[in-house]
Amino acid sequence: MKKIILILLVLLGLQSHAQTSLTTAVDFTVTDVHGETHNLFSILDDGKHVILDFFFTTCPPCIASVPIINQVYTDYGCNMGEIVFLSIDAGDTDAQVLQYENSYGGLLPSISGVNGGGDAVNSIYGIGAYPTVVLIAPDHTVIEQDIYPVTLIPSALSNAGLNMASCDTGSTVSIQEVDLYSRKCLKMFDLLGRE
């Protein structure tokens, strides 16, 4: 009986560490593995919600969650809609996170723990279990401290009043525009070749 109680206490303790204890977002600025800088409060102040996907590269549940999170990312506009997704790594370098992206097909902007500032974000958000998915509203309120299992992300976004969006930028290019651009390029190359 003591073993069962001990196991339950350990499991409850792990579950309590699987989420941030924050109810209000803490600002951070990070750089993803492709060199893009992201500031949380700038995104929120633009009226966007933010999903923070906390992971590390050798975490089996994190790896298993990649296709699910990719689908939600594309269903909600690939960071061009009402919500911005960021993957925040713990303890890995840019090279390791790039390898993770390449191996498992991660689509979200990924911030490494070591080079991009992810370790500091993990620390200030008190993340102790992975994956942990946090949803933050534009008013800086942490409205979901841990969406788990990750299959519940669409429900959490819907409950927050967010709508699906296309990854398409909405811009289309006509055949005439392509032809005009091609002619301009050929003319420029012709001029450069005469020098």
Side-chain angles (χ1 to χ4, degrees):
M1 184 68 168
K2 288 182 182 180
K3 286 184 182 181
I4 292 173
I5 292 172
L6 181 61
I7 290 170
L8 287 174
L9 288 174
V10 169
L11 289 175
L12 288 173
L14 287 175
Q15 187 172 355
S16 69
H17 288 90
Q19 64 185 20
T20 183
S21 61
L22 298 176
T23 56
T24 303
V26 176
D27 195 20
F28 59 81
T29 300
V30 292
T31 303
D32 68 35
V33 294
H34 300 287
E36 295 294 318
T37 301
H38 307 272
N39 175 260
L40 178 64
F41 281 10
S42 292
I43 297 167
L44 296 172
D45 292 346
D46 281 344
K48 308 265 185 177
H49 283 71
V50 173
I51 282 273
L52 300 178
D53 164 38
F54 292 94
F55 77 105
F56 63 93
T57 62
T58 56
C59 161
C62 302
I63 294 166
S65 74
V66 170
I68 298 162
I69 293 174
N70 280 349
Q71 185 63 53
V72 178
Y73 172 75
T74 57
D75 287 346
Y76 282 83
C78 303
N79 286 357
M80 293 182 285
E82 301 173 290
I83 185 162
V84 172
F85 292 75
L86 297 173
S87 283
I88 310 290
D89 169 72
D92 298 300
T93 65
D94 280 354
Q96 290 168 308
V97 173
L98 280 167
Q99 181 59 46
Y100 177 88
E101 279 186 356
N102 292 332
S103 296
Y104 306 111
L107 299 177
L108 281 62
S110 297
I111 293 87
S112 71
V114 175
N115 306 110
D119 287 344
V121 178
N122 273 273
S123 178
I124 61 175
Y125 277 78
I127 305 302
Y130 300 88
T132 293
V133 178
V134 175
L135 176 59
I136 305 170
D139 68 359
H140 302 200
T141 302
V142 176
I143 55 177
E144 292 287 344
Q145 293 175 318
D146 185 24
I147 306 168
Y148 193 82
V150 295
T151 54
L152 296 177
I153 296 172
S155 297
L157 298 180
S158 178
N159 291 341
L162 296 164
N163 300 302
M164 290 184 161
S166 171
C167 288
D168 184 6
T169 62
S171 62
T172 57
V173 178
S174 70
I175 298 295
Q176 292 81 11
E177 290 171 307
V178 170
D179 184 50
L180 178 63
Y181 179 75
S182 296
R183 282 186 277 138
K184 286 181 179 178
C185 288
L186 287 173
K187 185 175 181 179
M188 185 171 41
F189 285 126
D190 186 43
L191 291 171
L192 290 172
R194 291 186 185 170
E195 294 182 338

